[in-house]
Amino acid sequence: MTIAFNQVAVIGAGAMGRGIAQIAAQAGSQVWLYDTQADAIQKAKEAVFQVWESLATKGRLDADTVNAYKSRLNGASTLNDLKSCELVVEAIVERLDIKKSLFVELENLLPETAVLVTNTSSLSVTAIAAALKRPANFAGYHFFNPVPLMKVVEVIAGLKTNPAVCERLTEFATQMGHTPVQANDTPGFIVNHAGRGYGTEALRIVSEGVADFATIDRILKDQVGFKLGPFELFDLTALDVSHPVMESIYNQYYQEPRYRPSVITAQRLAGGVVGKKVGEGFYTYVEGKPVIAPEPPVPEVKEFPPVWVSPRASRRLELLQLLKDLGATIETGASPSPQALTLVAPLGFDVTTVAVVERLDPARTVGIDMLFDDAATKRRVLATNPATRSDMRDAAHALFAKDGKAVSVVRDSGGFITQRVVANIVNIAADMCQQRVCTPQDLDIAVTLGLGYPVGPLALGNKLGPTNVLEVLFNLQTVYGDPRYRPSPWLRRRGAIGLSLLQTED
Ligand code: NAI
């Protein structure tokens, strides 16, 4: 196999640079690592050598391979040492002025054919290339931390990038064992843009007092299969990193409401309550472990009222079957008897509005989120409205917990919690396709590998049904009167004609 780049320079020997140097050396390139801090190079080399040695100890690499890898990882003491490199990957401080002047210097040193790339996560590739004589040879190459484990890289074309350069970078990514995805130069590229739906909507839900952080984390993990809840993720990433990213993408898109950050994280950042690394974030950490308050217990209910299910409930037949399995007495009349617990299962609408529109007694009305197939989730979510009687709330809670499945009861908000977050994730992904940031396929690949979502946003939209997602969005827009819920035309068109969200052509 011929390697796409034989001589590779990596500038910046920090967290990212050392990872990139490691995988390039493993792929077979001669790698030259440079940093303005001389000891950083040595430290990075030692750290990478240690990784290889520990893999050898575990029997995953043999001694010859380790020696070959080591022989390909070199330090460079000046930029001049990089003169014969065919590829330069920059992973220095995230400052436009410093990156720009570094590339101007490199362009004057290196052969005309050299490819220059930046690992920036938030700056414009086109802007970094603006002062270059050969912007066609310049691209973004966005890796994720830790590089050897996060096996995806975004290949980003700036306005003037030659497509052949992206093709060569794509080939090299594969040779390094990574999955390349193609992105146009837009704020946040793919992963950091697609990731906006999760945390920002969860923050908005908290800001409305619908549920607390821990409940929201539990619901999204158990209903959708996310590995980490949004607040666990905020704590891990730390707000000094994630809040500025939220602000940056919001402002780069000229205050697009879908990306609106939250005053909650602004305040916590100002107060230094930034996450796990300081021992205090949304959760408090003791010896590195979060302290999580126990869930409210299932109420004891001696006698269950009969249950009446709204004819307009989503997944009504499944809901009726579930109630039967749970041993409920189901009413079949056109309207509920005066004793009945009244169940509604709206998409997007709040329980209060549904009770009013369907002329139900709000005191006995409880909502259940049926967006997902009950069998596919580990938790059921119920919502009360401001008038729901506590005996009705408790009866619903205890009834749905009868088979041992976890149940959360949240306040009324429209879209419960999962519907809001999921609909936002799908809608933002759809809008990215509309903007031609990338192909639908690359979007789903990048998000599953880069964010660890259980399924890509568009595949998730297909699974739930684009028309159901649209219904959630339209109704949320009515409930909130907020443009952040307006459905992307890309999603609307596909929903209208029943097309898969992973279908590329239009
Ligand atoms: P870091 O702070 O760990 O390392 C940066 C290194 O660059 C330091 O060793 C520093 O001495 C060196 N440096 C600074 N200015 C330099 C210059 N003018 N010439 C040569 N070396 C210089 O930073 P990290 O986290 O590795 O990030 C580097 C780049 O990668 C940034 O652009 C960042 O936005 C991007 N990035 C970071 C990710 C992360 O999770 N840390 C993820 C994806 C991209």
Side-chain angles (χ1 to χ4, degrees):
M1 177 178 79
T2 42
I3 191 111
F5 297 97
N6 284 303
Q7 302 283 329
V8 175
V10 177
I11 305 193
M16 298 304 288
R18 65 181 60 173
I20 299 166
Q22 179 187 330
I23 61 168
Q26 288 169 187
S29 306
Q30 274 296 331
V31 180
W32 304 87
L33 195 52
Y34 174 78
D35 199 291
T36 38
Q37 284 187 296
D39 64 332
I41 301 172
Q42 198 45 38
K43 273 195 205 149
K45 269 182 75 177
E46 279 164 19
V48 175
F49 282 15
Q50 224 169 41
V51 171
W52 287 331
E53 278 155 16
S54 84
L55 287 172
T57 313
K58 289 181 198 148
R60 294 180 37 204
L61 285 180
D62 60 46
D64 288 350
T65 308
V66 171
N67 288 335
Y69 285 175
K70 283 183 177 174
S71 72
R72 292 200 286 266
L73 183 56
N74 316 283
S77 45
T78 66
L79 283 183
N80 245 325
D81 297 345
L82 311 177
K83 267 203 306 223
S84 58
C85 286
E86 301 159 283
L87 171 69
V88 180
V89 184
E90 167 274 314
I92 65 166
V93 59
E94 188 77 336
R95 284 256 312 266
L96 179 62
D97 53 343
I98 300 180
K99 286 191 198 277
K100 269 176 101 164
S101 61
L102 172 69
F103 281 115
V104 168
E105 203 179 338
L106 286 166
E107 197 179 44
N108 290 328
L109 268 177
L110 276 91
E112 287 198 1
T113 51
V115 171
L116 308 180
V117 298
T118 175
N119 181 46
T120 184
S121 54
S122 64
L123 301 171
S124 156
V125 169
T126 306
I128 299 174
L132 295 181
K133 285 179 278 187
R134 294 183 292 278
N137 285 357
F138 186 86
Y141 215 24
H142 183 216
F143 291 88
F144 296 83
N145 191 16
V147 178
L149 302 181
M150 299 293 289
K151 291 189 176 293
V152 60
V153 55
E154 297 175 336
V155 180
I156 302 138
L159 271 184
K160 295 192 176 169
T161 308
N162 178 350
V165 164
C166 291
E167 280 166 27
R168 199 166 159 202
L169 290 167
T170 298
E171 187 192 352
F172 189 48
T174 313
Q175 290 168 343
M176 291 188 290
H178 271 45
T179 301
V181 287
Q182 312 293 321
N184 281 318
D185 184 22
T186 46
F189 313 128
I190 305 176
V191 172
N192 285 345
H193 185 170
R196 290 311 93 214
Y198 195 42
T200 40
E201 192 60 20
L203 282 164
R204 197 171 154 87
I205 292 167
V206 160
S207 74
E208 291 169 17
V210 177
D212 59 26
F213 313 126
T215 302
I216 294 173
D217 277 353
R218 278 186 202 111
I219 289 173
L220 289 166
K221 286 193 291 184
D222 289 351
Q223 287 209 312
V224 192
F226 290 109
K227 284 190 206 110
L228 290 177
F231 299 101
E232 290 170 324
L233 193 61
F234 277 129
D235 275 4
L236 201 65
T237 316
L239 291 182
D240 51 343
V241 175
S242 45
H243 184 77
V245 172
M246 289 192 270
E247 284 193 334
S248 160
I249 292 186
Y250 176 63
N251 288 321
Q252 287 188 74
Y253 272 107
Y254 296 108
Q255 292 84 45
E256 161 60 47
R258 286 194 190 104
Y259 314 133
R260 193 187 308 138
S262 164
V263 293
I264 294 177
T265 47
Q267 186 202 42
R268 287 176 164 258
L269 174 58
V273 188
V274 298
K276 187 177 176 185
K277 69 180 180 189
V278 299
E280 207 185 354
F282 289 103
Y283 298 91
T284 301
Y285 293 81
V286 176
E287 287 166 7
K289 296 246 159 10
V291 181
I292 303 173
E295 284 196 60
V298 178
E300 274 188 39
V301 174
K302 291 209 176 66
E303 217 175 307
F304 284 96
V307 184
W308 182 89
V309 178
S310 159
R312 294 201 217 167
S314 57
R315 293 188 193 269
R316 185 168 190 270
L317 292 180
E318 285 168 59
L319 181 54
L320 286 169
Q321 185 59 48
L322 171 63
L323 287 165
K324 221 167 123 195
D325 295 345
L326 294 168
T329 308
I330 302 168
E331 290 192 354
T332 53
S335 55
S337 73
Q339 298 79 38
L341 164 65
T342 307
L343 284 181
V344 296
L347 290 180
F349 272 124
D350 54 329
V351 177
T352 313
T353 301
V354 174
V356 172
V357 170
E358 296 188 20
R359 298 174 189 278
L360 304 171
D361 174 8
R364 293 183 288 122
T365 304
V366 172
I368 179 165
D369 189 349
M370 292 296 290
L371 177 64
F372 278 83
D373 175 7
D374 180 73
T377 68
K378 293 196 201 126
R379 180 175 291 270
R380 299 184 181 118
V381 177
L382 307 176
T384 54
N385 69 75
T388 304
R389 273 187 353 228
S390 57
D391 62 320
M392 287 294 160
R393 179 197 61 212
D394 290 351
H397 187 165
L399 176 63
F400 282 107
K402 258 185 165 178
D403 57 356
K405 200 178 255 201
V407 174
S408 293
V409 184
V410 301
R411 294 201 183 87
D412 199 13
S413 79
F416 301 87
I417 288 171
T418 298
Q419 290 180 17
R420 286 175 69 165
V421 172
V422 162
N424 265 286
I425 290 173
V426 177
N427 197 33
I428 286 174
D431 213 49
M432 289 171 66
C433 295
Q434 177 81 65
Q435 290 179 44
R436 301 316 193 248
V437 172
C438 57
T439 63
Q441 286 70 19
D442 272 3
L443 191 144
D444 269 17
I445 291 170
V447 171
T448 41
L449 294 176
L451 296 173
Y453 286 9
V455 53
L458 300 168
L460 182 60
N462 281 338
K463 187 169 127 187
L464 298 171
T467 48
N468 287 332
V469 177
L470 279 164
E471 191 173 339
V472 171
L473 290 165
F474 279 125
N475 293 340
L476 281 172
Q477 214 181 353
T478 306
V479 171
Y480 284 93
D482 188 328
R484 72 190 274 132
Y485 298 116
R486 80 181 176 275
S488 164
W490 195 92
L491 180 61
R492 221 156 25 79
R493 281 194 293 272
R494 276 157 182 74
I497 52 179
L499 210 60
S500 158
L501 301 184
L502 283 160
Q503 181 118 1
T504 321
E505 303 91 66
D506 66 349

